Amino acid sequence: MTIFSFFKPSRSSAPVARDRLQILLQHERVTAGASDLIAKLREEILGVIARHVDIPADKVQVKMQRGDAVSTLEVEIELPNPIRQRRKEGAEAAA
Amino acid sequence: MSQVLVVTSGKGGVGKTTSTAAIGAALALSGQRVAVVDFDVGLRNLDLVMGAERRVVYDLINVVQGEAKLQQALIRDKRLDTLYVLPASQTRDKDALTEEGVARVMEELRSHFDWVVCDSPAGIERGAMLAMRHADVAIVVTNPEVSSVRDSDRIIGMLDSKTVKAEKGEYMEKHLLLTRYDAARAERGQMLKVEDVLEILSIPLLGIIPESEAVLNASNVGCPVTLVDTDSAPARAYLDAARRLEGDTIPMVVPTERRGFMSKLFGRRAA
């Protein structure tokens, strides 16, 4: 610090902080909300499939790609061979 | 009607425990029955800030586990008859806090007190989640600094999704308490202003606590700042904040230290 720095107007860093936070949080709020949504979708999709077919929980993958105009949801379900279909309970009782 | 209040922040070291003690004491000053509850299992400090560290016999975990009755664990404040501390355990693991156990203890506290003030641990783990779980009202303690504001934003999201109230589809009341504020530095553009933080977090403002020596002095002697140095700037700010919680309308100002002419001339600046 020199004697001249006394005369210089102090740099204001607060506006930088505000702008950085605004951009960051806009992004984080969306992703936090989306990860909740993806977890929910994954759970429910898995539930529907598991009602009919034996499937390990990690074989259902849900991904979201965010675009400017539209976002795409990618659902990948891997069914292990041979496909073991669950029988309806009524059918089981009759057999 | 009894109210459960959680004091939370996400980030550590922003003033949750100081604020819990100060606001708890301020509420008790008006004769209301107040319990301040430490949820920071393993790193308890509320007892120390309240000056009750040598009177801890049983703690929250003992009560949650059914090893002690609530009345045995509650420590009555030496200065105010209506103020009680429920300390956290220093030795046990936070996993000893069970969801059902905490629910039962909170219910029991509600039946005895007008205010139950829960001091949340930092972070977003189990302890912080359990501290906010049963709250009716939340105070989000934030410093005018980027990492604190970001963590507060995260905690606000959790208050709106992970609390019992939110799960029932009810509105979770949240208030911002801006601590360690330096109006002069904010004016010079070196610190986020109150308006900046409010705009980013968009929850109503409960109070602005100025940076002050009085806060450290109070914790040094183990007394809430609202009881030991009642005329200091932070004490007045906390007292106003407590009254706003009770529903009073008080104009929002940043209290400044009241100093004499000589100390204005020759006094040192705080921190």
Side-chain angles (χ1 to χ4, degrees), chain A residues 10-22 24-25 28-29 32 36, chain B residues 145-146 149-150 153-154 161-162 188-193 196 199-202:
Chain A
S10 61
R11 268 187 316 155
S12 40
S13 52
V16 181
R18 188 191 56 215
D19 295 347
R20 288 177 60 217
L21 272 171
Q22 265 165 344
L24 174 73
L25 293 181
E28 282 190 344
R29 282 170 193 158
D36 260 16
Chain B
E145 179 268 326
V146 286
V149 175
R150 180 199 211 172
D153 191 77
R154 189 86 195 276
S161 60
K162 311 273 187 205
R188 287 199 298 270
Q190 296 172 343
M191 183 183 266
L192 287 168
K193 286 187 180 171
D196 296 337
E199 192 194 326
I200 293 166
L201 296 178
S202 52

Side-chain angles (χ1 to χ4, degrees), chain B residues 119-197:
Chain B
D119 183 19
S120 173
I124 52 172
E125 312 268 309
R126 186 182 173 78
M129 290 299 119
L130 284 171
M132 69 165 68
R133 184 89 187 121
H134 301 276
D136 304 306
V137 192
I139 293 181
V140 179
V141 182
T142 308
N143 288 171
E145 179 268 326
V146 286
S147 51
S148 173
V149 175
R150 180 199 211 172
D151 292 359
S152 293
D153 191 77
R154 189 86 195 276
I155 281 290
I156 290 169
M158 291 182 165
L159 286 165
D160 284 333
S161 60
K162 311 273 187 205
T163 54
V164 172
K165 242 188 154 179
E167 282 173 6
K168 282 197 281 185
E170 292 170 28
Y171 174 69
M172 181 75 200
E173 197 183 322
K174 300 169 292 290
H175 299 277
L176 178 72
L177 190 67
L178 195 60
T179 53
R180 308 200 69 164
Y181 191 67
D182 186 331
R185 295 194 69 189
E187 208 40 63
R188 287 199 298 270
Q190 296 172 343
M191 183 183 266
L192 287 168
K193 286 187 180 171
V194 181
E195 304 84 71
D196 296 337
V197 181

Side-chain angles (χ1 to χ4, degrees), chain B residues 21 25-26 32 46 50 54 72 113 121 150 179 192 221 232 234 248:
Chain B
Q32 302 188 82
L46 186 60
M50 299 283 296
R54 286 165 57 184
Q72 292 176 294
F113 292 95
R150 180 199 211 172
T179 53
L192 287 168
V221 297
S232 67
D248 293 356

Side-chain angles (χ1 to χ4, degrees), chain B residues 19 43 60 104-105 110 139 157 165-166 217 219 221 240:
Chain B
S19 299
L43 291 170
L60 176 63
R104 182 176 49 77
V105 174
R110 268 182 200 275
I139 293 181
K165 242 188 154 179
N217 287 342
S219 81
V221 297
D240 281 356

